[in-house]
């Protein structure tokens, strides 16, 4: 018989290295005389999209388009260290370093521009749509490229190097007190499953995922990370079993270590909540790992809801489910 | 060495290959077509997918000598930056690429499906793409991109 159930899973997750470990990211920025800018960071984009995020951050600050920004990343010959692409930290940590760096390069540009426009303070200058000029007076603005070109001929350069360190403290081993991570990421997912009581096979029919991302700097990437995370979560909950024999992996192949295929993924509805993180770049924080965590709990709870068995070790393979069902039915008979 | 003739991306080639040489190695090392990726090397992941005589094959499981006389399409033969294939355009539009390692194989599987069946149903798309593993995207946007490409083809 096929039975359906619904389950809920919630998660909170501390991003960054945490526990007082120095979590430092760095960035170099230069604003060029063709109205473009270059940013260098050691952050490696493995497909999560950090390069796009850094281009967006620089563009936003300089009133340019993301395609005007050239991002160099992860080249030990040329880029400053930005730590690992791990711990859900690049958007927040390196994003903060990039934001600090572009703001610093921009501040000398603003000082120069204030002089040019005879503005008493650089606060009266704004960068918008590729132009730089006096705030609120569209007649007094020039293309950013023109101003930087002119400045260049006078020997001015708009270059910066900045680092950003995430704040955390080690946990006191005696009291358990401390602030081991910052910031935290929150998520909640619900899953609907169908359990075949004859075969023990679980089919995930639908997952709804809601995550607090602080601010979605790139909504397409947020959706992609949620769908990718949920799918890894489905593998984690139902399929992926790493078998070890004396420290050696017994199933190092896709034929014996199963990951979800296009046919294993249900309809995934991804939503995000934007509760700005005051210490993050434009309010953003990380989403990478948190996207896969609630999935497991939601699926295990949905199995319980469907057939009334509590699976306490993952993956919830058909064998485990059949065994649990048999035990449950045996117990029922005893009463 | 064995002499073989094949057509790759509409260009004819004569190659001398080792008897045990895999097609993926001939493509990558002899022809310099690095778009075809090797994931598992054992026919499970689909990263090395190419189209051979109108069928998708895992080029890690085909011997170069077996491809003698065949017509092949690799990702280099499917559109380019200036005029992308509808599948490639849709991938970019919806954001179906994350690390990109599965992408060449995904695009070829999708192209071959649409070449054969311009009106695939959702489940036909799922089946056609199920031989290509992706660890990043959760397939969601990939399947959506194939659907968009199929709809565009209909118009
Ligand atoms: S490399 Fe050929 S199927 Fe994985
Ligand atoms: S995009 Fe990374 S494996 Fe598919």
């Amino acid at each position: 018989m096929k039975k359906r159930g619904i389950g809920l899973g919630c998660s909170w997750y501390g991003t960054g290295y945490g526990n007082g470990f120095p979590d430092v990211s760095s960035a170099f920025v230069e604003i060029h005389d063709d109205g473009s800018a270059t940013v260098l960071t050691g952050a490696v984009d493995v497909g999560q999209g950090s390069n796009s995020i850094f281009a967006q951050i620089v563009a936003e600050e300089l009133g340019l388009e993301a395609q005007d920004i050239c991002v160099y990343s992860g080249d030990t010959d040329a880029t400053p260290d930005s730590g690992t692409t791990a711990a859900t930290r690049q958007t927040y940590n390196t994003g903060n370093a990039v934001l600090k760096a572009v703001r610093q390069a921009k501040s000398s540009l603003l000082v120069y521009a204030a002089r040019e426009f005879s503005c008493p303070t650089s606060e009266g200058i704004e960068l918008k749509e590729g132009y730089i000029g006096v705030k609120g007076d569209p007649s007094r603005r020039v293309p950013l490229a023109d101003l930087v070109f002119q400045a260049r001929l006078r020997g001015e350069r708009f270059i910066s190097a900045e680092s950003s360190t995430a704040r955390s403290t080690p946990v006191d081993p005696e009291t358990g007190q401390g602030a081991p991570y910052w910031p935290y990421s929150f998520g909640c997912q619900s899953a609907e499953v169908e359990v075949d009581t004859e075969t023990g096979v679980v089919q995930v029919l639908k997952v709804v995922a809601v995550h607090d991302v602080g601010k979605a700097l790139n909504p397409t990437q947020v959706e992609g990370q949620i769908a990718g995370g949920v799918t890894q979560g489905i593998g984690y909950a139902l399929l992926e079993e790493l078998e070890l024999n004396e420290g050696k992996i017994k199933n190092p192949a896709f034929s014996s270590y199963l990951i979800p295929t296009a046919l294993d993924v249900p309809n995934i509805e991804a939503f995000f909540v934007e509760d700005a993180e005051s210490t993050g770049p434009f309010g953003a924080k990380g989403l990478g790992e948190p996207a896969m965590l609630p999935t497991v709990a939601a699926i295990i709870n949905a199995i319980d809801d469907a057939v009334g068995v509590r699976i306490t070790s993952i993956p919830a393979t058909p064998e485990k489910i059949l065994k649990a069902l048999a035990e449950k039915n045996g117990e029922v008979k005893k009463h | 060495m064995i002499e073989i003739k094949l057509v790759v991306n509409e260009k004819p080639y004569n190659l001398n290959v080792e008897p045990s040489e895999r097609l993926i190695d001939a493509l990558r090392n002899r022809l310099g077509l690095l778009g075809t990726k090797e994931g598992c090397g054992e026919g499970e992941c689909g990263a090395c997918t190419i189209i051979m005589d109108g069928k998708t094959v895992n080029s890690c499981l085909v011997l170069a000598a077996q491809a003698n006389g065949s017509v092949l399409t690799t990702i280099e033969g499917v559109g380019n930056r200036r005029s992308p294939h509808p599948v490639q355009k849709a991938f970019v539009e919806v954001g179906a690429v994350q690390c990109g390692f599965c992408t060449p194989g995904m695009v070829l599987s999708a192209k071959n499906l649409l070449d054969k069946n311009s009106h695939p149903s959702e489940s036909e798309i799922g089946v056609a793409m199920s031989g290509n593993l992706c660890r990043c995207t959760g397939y969601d946007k990939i399947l959506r991109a194939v659907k968009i490409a199929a709809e565009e083809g209909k118009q």
Side-chain angles (χ1 to χ4, degrees):
Chain A
M1 202 197 299
K2 287 187 175 173
K3 291 187 162 178
R4 289 191 177 189
I6 291 179
L8 199 69
C10 298
S11 72
W12 60 289
Y13 185 85
T15 66
Y17 297 142
N19 217 19
F21 187 85
D23 194 340
V24 190
S25 277
S26 304
F28 301 155
V29 166
E30 178 167 10
I31 304 169
H32 300 294
D33 58 5
D34 61 352
S36 73
T38 302
V39 54
L40 287 84
T41 80
V44 174
D45 190 336
V46 294
Q48 85 280 25
S50 51
N51 284 352
S52 310
I53 295 291
F54 305 147
Q56 286 180 266
I57 289 174
V58 173
E60 182 76 19
E61 254 330 272
L62 298 180
L64 298 172
E65 297 290 329
Q67 61 260 33
D68 300 327
I69 313 303
C70 186
V71 181
Y72 285 101
S73 63
D75 178 348
T76 50
D77 279 348
T79 57
D81 187 6
S82 298
T84 53
T85 294
T88 307
R89 60 181 289 288
Q90 291 298 12
T91 293
Y92 178 81
N93 297 60
T94 305
N96 266 335
V98 167
L99 185 59
K100 266 174 95 175
V102 64
R103 282 192 174 151
Q104 206 215 307
K106 181 181 161 182
S107 69
S108 36
L109 172 65
L110 293 179
V111 168
Y112 177 85
R115 264 200 325 266
E116 283 306 297
F117 288 104
S118 314
C119 202
T121 147
S122 61
E123 269 156 36
I125 301 295
E126 72 176 350
L127 289 120
K128 223 167 122 182
E129 295 154 358
Y131 286 85
I132 183 163
V134 179
K135 255 184 211 166
D137 184 355
S139 69
R140 294 176 69 205
R141 66 176 202 178
V142 298
L144 178 64
D146 292 2
L147 188 101
V148 178
F149 181 69
Q150 199 193 77
R152 186 181 166 75
L153 294 182
R154 295 187 189 152
E156 296 271 356
R157 298 290 183 273
F158 308 115
I159 298 174
S160 62
E162 276 288 356
S163 288
S164 169
T165 306
R167 273 166 293 165
S168 72
T169 64
V171 171
D172 186 314
E174 293 283 315
T175 64
Q177 296 294 300
Y181 289 96
W182 196 262
Y184 288 86
S185 184
F186 306 93
C188 183
Q189 297 181 8
S190 83
E192 184 177 10
V193 304
E194 188 170 78
V195 185
D196 186 327
T197 54
E198 304 287 321
T199 62
V201 170
V202 177
Q203 181 82 30
V204 182
L205 303 174
K206 183 173 180 179
V207 174
V208 178
V210 187
H211 288 269
D212 170 18
V213 296
K215 166 82 189 166
L217 297 186
N218 189 317
T220 304
Q221 288 180 2
V222 169
E223 286 167 15
Q225 285 216 324
I226 292 178
V230 167
T231 302
Q232 291 197 11
I234 291 170
Y236 192 26
L238 299 175
L239 300 168
E240 299 180 29
E241 182 147 43
L242 196 70
E243 296 164 42
L244 293 172
N245 184 14
E246 295 186 350
K248 277 208 190 110
I249 296 173
K250 279 161 70 186
N251 54 341
F254 290 129
S255 51
S256 46
Y257 180 92
L258 304 179
I259 70 170
T261 71
L263 294 178
D264 298 307
V265 291
N267 180 1
I268 298 168
E269 283 183 29
F271 298 94
F272 48 87
V273 173
E274 293 185 309
D275 181 18
E277 165 53 44
S278 59
T279 64
F282 300 108
K285 57 186 179 182
L287 171 69
E289 296 154 290
M292 71 175 287
L293 300 177
T295 320
V296 180
I299 289 175
I300 299 298
N301 285 337
I303 294 171
D304 194 338
D305 187 43
V307 293
V309 298
R310 199 76 197 139
I311 303 296
T312 53
S313 77
I314 49 173
T317 55
E319 294 79 19
K320 282 186 202 164
I321 288 175
L322 287 180
K323 189 162 165 259
L325 283 171
E327 274 165 22
K328 183 185 159 220
N329 293 338
E331 266 174 31
V332 171
K333 270 176 213 144
K334 258 182 252 157
H335 287 299
Chain B
M1 296 294 250
I2 301 173
E3 201 192 320
I4 60 168
K5 280 188 181 53
L6 32 77
V7 175
V8 183
N9 303 331
E10 296 177 349
K11 264 191 233 148
Y13 292 93
N14 286 331
L15 295 177
N16 281 314
V17 298
E18 302 284 346
S20 62
E21 188 168 328
R22 302 177 307 167
L23 183 54
I24 186 173
D25 297 323
L27 292 171
R28 288 179 56 91
N29 304 337
R30 293 191 192 275
L31 301 183
L33 297 172
L34 300 176
T36 305
K37 305 296 178 208
E38 177 166 5
C40 63
E42 50 190 29
E44 294 290 342
C45 73
C48 64
T49 302
I50 62 163
I51 301 174
M52 177 165 155
D53 297 326
K55 277 194 194 137
T56 50
V57 296
N58 289 326
S59 61
C60 70
L61 288 189
V62 177
L63 289 174
Q66 285 176 293
N68 188 19
S70 294
V71 176
L72 312 181
T73 306
T74 69
I75 191 65
E76 289 86 350
V78 189
N80 54 43
R81 215 173 252 260
R82 260 193 226 129
S83 69
H85 186 274
V87 170
Q88 291 168 317
K89 230 176 91 201
F91 266 58
V92 172
E93 250 167 47
V94 304
V97 181
Q98 289 191 27
C99 80
F101 203 82
C102 70
T103 313
M106 289 283 184
V107 169
L108 285 159
S109 287
K111 175 188 171 346
N112 202 49
L113 167 71
L114 300 183
D115 286 350
K116 296 249 151 71
N117 173 2
S118 53
H119 298 47
S121 66
E122 238 167 81
S123 69
E124 284 171 327
I125 294 176
V127 170
M129 304 305 289
S130 66
N132 295 79
L133 296 179
C134 174
R135 194 50 156 170
C136 305
T137 62
Y139 305 102
D140 187 50
K141 287 180 185 289
I142 291 178
L143 299 178
R144 223 182 308 158
V146 179
K147 220 187 295 169
I148 289 174
E151 264 151 34
E152 227 148 77
K154 272 181 220 164
Q155 287 158 12

